[in-house]
Amino acid sequence: DAAAPGKGKKCTLCTKILQQAQAMAGEDPDEEAVQAALGKVCRALGKRLGRVCKGLVKKFGDQISEALQNGDQPQDICMAIGLCKA
């Protein structure tokens, strides 16, 4: 498991990453826009968090991408992939 220990941190990080990616991808993004935005957000996080971010994207990329394209909320997406508790 690439992500840091502690559910709270993972949840916060996941939500932050997806909020930024959502903002960058713009209204009604396609898969390419979402993937590009996720890549940019991960690079902007620096080395350690960037690695966690890339791990998330690698593991849940399709799910995240689809959810963001559907306009789902970051918190809901993070709950759906099990990083946030309901």
Side-chain angles (χ1 to χ4, degrees), residues 8-39:
K9 277 192 188 124
K10 276 189 197 176
C11 179
T12 307
L13 184 66
C14 177
T15 308
K16 263 193 192 138
I17 291 167
L18 296 193
Q19 282 169 340
Q20 289 179 337
Q22 194 177 42
M24 269 185 210
E27 291 294 310
D28 200 22
D30 59 11
E31 187 168 352
E32 229 169 272
V34 172
Q35 292 294 344
L38 285 168

Side-chain angles (χ1 to χ4, degrees), residues 36-51:
L38 285 168
K40 267 189 199 140
V41 172
C42 287
R43 280 194 299 278
L45 284 172
K47 222 178 193 149
R48 198 174 66 80
L49 288 178
R51 264 206 304 270

Side-chain angles (χ1 to χ4, degrees), residues 49-61:
L49 288 178
R51 264 206 304 270
V52 176
C53 182
K54 285 187 185 118
L56 273 181
V57 172
K58 200 172 179 177
K59 201 168 175 185
F60 304 110

